[in-house]
Amino acid sequence: MPADSVLPPAESVATPEVLPPPEKHVGVGGAILGAVPWIDKTGAVGGVFRAIRSLFGGMKITGGYLMRPSTVVTQQYPENRETLKLPDRFRAQLAFNHDENGYHKCTLCRICEEACPNVSIIITGREKPAVSKKELDSFVWRLDSCTFCNTCVIVCPFNVLRFDGTFESSVYDRRLLSYTLNQYAGPVASVLEKMEDPEARKAAMEARDPYSGAAIIAALIEKQKATKIAERAAREAAKASRVAAKAAAAAAAAAAQPEPPPEAEDVG
Amino acid sequence: MSWPVKTIAERTGDLLPGSPWTAALYVLLTILAVTAFMTVTGLVLIYAERKIAAHFQCRLGPMRVGWHGVLQTIADALKLLLKEDIVPRDADALLHILAPVLSFAGMLLVMIALPMSPSLQVADMNIGVLYVTAVSGLGVLGILLGGWSSNNKWSLLGAMRAGAQIISYEVSATLALLVVVLFSGTLQLSGIVQSQEAGWWIWRAHGCGIVAFAIFLIAGTAEINRTPFDLAEGESELTAGFHTEYSGLRFSFFFLSEFLNMFVLAAMTSTLFLGGWMPLHIGHFTVFNGVMDIIPPGLWFTFKTTGMIFLIMWFRWTFPRLRVDQLMRLEWKILLPIGFVNLFVSAACVVTGCYFFAR
Ligand code: SF4
Ligand code: SF4
């Protein structure tokens, strides 16, 4: 795995303002401890002074925060919507990395789909007549079940996925929380770049919008429903056959008293 | 410069021979003023605590209600007043209702003895220090009753912790207080303030003052149940401790008395060790003293008390909470011996007159 795929391609990780490390503090306790050489610095009395020193060290840190209002990290969200500053590694919505031509590099390897702990990624491929391999049809990401664990971003060998800061995702229908992330269905960037004819490229790319995934989810749900209905029908059939077998067994028992029918248990 | 002390009680006494009705009206106005003062102080303290705590933790605190959230505590107080007041079915109803009142009364009774300025003190007893020590014990009674009557194990545990803690730390606080009584030679609170005309006891007493100040501050913080000594209500251990079962107005009584107790502690500390309303004087430096006298005594009291309150808040938002055994060890094995030694040393200082600007 290439090292740069461990983190999302964050533009720049700003170094946070670093406070002086606490060991450097020479508070009142430290001054006393230094001035009195006969105190055993590791013993009980030295421990008291070390405790006092660490208390002063803590007060220095909190006092420093109080004195510098620039350290406040609170965002006043609805008011500062225009100037909102999000942390670089904030995980809000999964997004596809499309290059400047709008091409992506997803090879349909399905590693991310396998790695996702709760099946929040559903990938469908399609056969492409021009190229012998399969290519991406739709990459559906379900915000409603995603745990934002970042695993998919880390495992993707082609650095296709990233988390971006689009966090205003509330909707009134949870079906709208399934997004298709790829902007087109078609071959990867390297294949597209090899095509000379722009018309051929255009023909290879079929546009996808974020909500073409909803249909897929609906289809999945329909499929689940159908499975359930089929299961229920199977159960009912089994029950009916069991009842019929019992009745048959009872009839057989009435006909021939001495021997109970052995099949009665097997059906259940 | 002399500081004639005139208390509100004395003024009422002066009015009494003329017309008892005027005196009664004066008393009524005083009660109203004290109530208003306490309410406003409580609200301001709660707002200040929330703001300061927020900035200690890189947050902003209340920002929405009013300019920078100044009306937030008023909104919260109104909300508390409108909340349903619940007495649990299995609780001891009488004690449950009585407990917050007792807790509040303990704080209120200390408040009337505080010398805020030569002309602003409700009553000035000649045994003021003894009185303050005695009535502040009422607060722990309220906490114990509150925990006991709630019929809830968390409340009971919190109350028992609070009882053990407050009674233990009262010993150290009183020992530290006695140092000041020794030096000033009086139990009267205004007398203690007047005795610091040449300088505050915290530095005049040759180190004994600083030690006593530290002990009093630590023990006092423990007595008002604030972090790092908030075992009585440690929310990670006991949900809310002794006031788990309280809601609405009665909860707000507990809450308000907790915050006003902080004010009382800060005021007592500044009265005993930082000269109360007495301006900063240094011995016989008349010019310096004259310059300091320009600022009126009431403002001095306000400055010092505010400073102490800020320090206590700073403690709260920095220090981690102690365990119960650490709490008891700190009191009985560290503070108490130091307090006793300090008391003996200061007694020796007073007998030999070995302190700054001894008379
Ligand atoms: S972040 Fe985790 S849960 Fe969400 S889609 Fe990626 S792997 Fe699945
Ligand atoms: S996003 Fe990455 S890991 Fe997932 S299928 Fe595409 S190339 Fe593979």
Side-chain angles (χ1 to χ4, degrees), chain A residues 12-37:
Chain A
S12 65
V13 180
T15 40
E17 196 175 345
V18 183
L19 287 161
E23 306 86 54
K24 291 273 165 57
H25 286 315
V26 184
V28 174
I32 296 172
L33 197 59
V36 191

Side-chain angles (χ1 to χ4, degrees), chain A:
Chain A
M1 180 171 39
D4 54 26
S5 72
V6 173
L7 292 179
E11 287 71 21
S12 65
V13 180
T15 40
E17 196 175 345
V18 183
L19 287 161
E23 306 86 54
K24 291 273 165 57
H25 286 315
V26 184
V28 174
I32 296 172
L33 197 59
V36 191
W38 43 263
I39 290 179
D40 175 14
K41 299 198 169 50
T42 51
V45 179
V48 171
F49 280 102
R50 263 185 290 126
I52 293 173
R53 184 163 64 161
S54 74
L55 288 182
F56 274 103
M59 286 177 71
K60 195 172 164 184
I61 288 177
T62 47
Y65 283 134
L66 181 79
M67 288 304 130
R68 280 172 299 162
S70 59
T71 54
V72 166
V73 294
T74 308
Q75 303 274 347
Q76 300 231 271
Y77 164 53
E79 287 90 359
N80 74 343
R81 196 152 172 248
E82 267 65 59
T83 57
L84 194 66
K85 221 174 127 269
L86 288 173
D88 288 316
R89 290 198 271 159
F90 182 65
R91 299 176 194 164
Q93 282 199 2
L94 197 62
F96 243 48
N97 286 328
H98 289 93
D99 63 14
E100 65 275 10
N101 299 323
Y103 306 156
H104 64 68
K105 291 194 199 146
C106 177
T107 58
L108 203 67
C109 69
R110 290 181 189 272
I111 291 176
C112 55
E113 193 179 29
E114 286 289 317
C116 179
N118 49 23
V119 205
S120 298
I121 293 172
I122 301 145
I123 301 174
T124 36
R126 62 175 192 185
E127 298 295 339
K128 170 78 177 146
V131 189
S132 59
K133 277 200 287 181
K134 269 192 151 188
E135 63 181 32
L136 183 64
D137 183 351
S138 65
F139 184 105
V140 176
W141 170 65
R142 296 190 58 180
L143 171 63
D144 51 348
S145 64
C146 178
T147 59
F148 308 98
C149 66
N150 210 31
T151 308
C152 49
V153 176
I154 292 171
V155 296
C156 176
F158 303 100
N159 217 350
V160 173
L161 299 171
R162 82 182 128 85
F163 266 110
D164 73 0
T166 330
F167 63 92
E168 291 167 325
S169 354
S170 4
V171 286
Y172 284 103
D173 185 344
R174 75 187 277 262
R175 280 175 301 179
L176 296 181
L177 292 175
S178 301
Y179 299 94
T180 302
L181 298 186
N182 52 324
Q183 287 169 2
Y184 68 93
V188 294
S190 54
V191 175
L192 285 171
E193 273 152 15
K194 272 188 211 122
M195 293 182 180
E196 306 282 280
D197 182 15
E199 286 306 311
R201 270 188 224 169
K202 228 176 223 167
M205 294 161 69
E206 190 188 321
R208 288 278 179 268
D209 70 284
Y211 284 129
S212 53
I216 290 171
I217 295 303
L220 277 179
I221 291 169
E222 283 308 310
K223 200 171 142 197
Q224 232 170 25
K225 261 191 202 155
T227 325
K228 280 232 174 83
I229 289 168
E231 276 172 2
R232 191 179 304 147
R235 266 205 309 277
E236 258 150 30
K239 202 173 161 192
S241 73
R242 204 158 54 229
V243 169
K246 257 194 191 144
Q257 203 74 332
E259 45 193 335
E263 321 90 278
E265 262 113 35
D266 290 352
V267 181

Side-chain angles (χ1 to χ4, degrees), chain B residues 6 19 49 55 73 78 100 116 163 299:
Chain B
K6 186 115 185 169
S19 147
E49 167 108 50
H55 280 276
T73 39
L78 287 179
M116 302 195 185
L299 274 186

Side-chain angles (χ1 to χ4, degrees), chain B residues 194-211:
Chain B
Q194 302 244 15
S195 75
Q196 307 185 57
E197 192 165 358
W200 304 344
W201 286 122
I202 187 170
W203 61 268
R204 247 172 83 196
H206 267 327
C208 301
I210 295 178
V211 175

